[in-house]
Structure formats: structure tokens, C-alpha cells
């Protein structure tokens, strides 16, 4: 894990007062959503990026993590 990613995980852990494993899971989800947003901004298939975004949000919702609120 890179030092910048580790710093993001620690910030999430400290902000949400959760365990390290949960913070890593949340960081992964926000990372995926950020890349999907970047792909959409660069003109990738909007329909596909929208579907993938919903899949990511649904998969994390199953785990009890609302990335929509975290990622804003």
C-alpha cells in the first residue's frame, strides 16, 4: 500500500472511528468511485460507468457502508 493510500485509510479510520479493515474497505470503494467519475468525465461510455457505479454502491451497501454519503 502506498504511503498516500495509507494516509487516506488512517484519515478515514480516525474520522469515522472504525477499525482498520473497515477503513481499507471504505477507501477501496471511494477509490473505485473516483476512477469511475474520472472515466465518465473523459468521455467513457456513460451508461457503462453509471451501471458500474451502481454496482459498487450496491455491493458496499450490502456490507453496511453507504459510500454515497462518504464520497458525497
Amino acid at each position: 500500500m502506498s504511503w498516500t493510500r495509507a494516509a487516506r485509510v488512517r484519515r478515514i479510520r480516525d474520522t469515522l472511528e472504525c477499525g482498520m479493515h473497515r477503513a481499507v474497505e471504505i477507501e477501496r470503494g471511494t477509490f473505485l468511485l473516483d476512477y469511475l467519475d474520472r472515466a465518465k468525465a473523459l468521455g467513457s461510455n456513460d451508461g457503462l460507468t453509471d451501471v458500474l457505479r451502481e454496482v459498487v454502491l450496491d455491493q458496499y451497501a450490502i456490507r453496511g457502508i453507504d459510500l454515497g454519503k462518504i464520497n458525497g
Side-chain angles (χ1 to χ4, degrees):
M1 181 182 302
S2 70
W3 67 271
T4 54
R5 189 165 174 219
R8 285 193 306 262
V9 168
R10 282 193 300 276
R11 189 176 65 238
I12 290 168
R13 182 194 64 200
D14 294 344
T15 302
L16 300 179
E17 297 176 353
C18 61
M20 184 63 82
H21 179 69
R22 185 76 150 183
V24 168
E25 248 187 309
I26 292 168
E27 194 275 335
R28 280 187 194 139
T30 58
F31 185 77
L32 286 170
L33 292 177
D34 287 344
Y35 269 95
L36 286 171
D37 289 343
R38 288 181 196 174
K40 190 172 184 177
L42 292 174
S44 290
N45 185 338
D46 286 344
L48 180 59
T49 55
D50 289 341
V51 168
L52 289 173
R53 181 179 176 76
E54 289 304 312
V55 168
V56 169
L57 290 173
D58 288 347
Q59 288 301 308
Y60 279 85
I62 290 169
R63 297 181 183 116
I65 301 169
D66 187 354
L67 288 179
K69 289 182 180 177
I70 294 170
N71 213 34

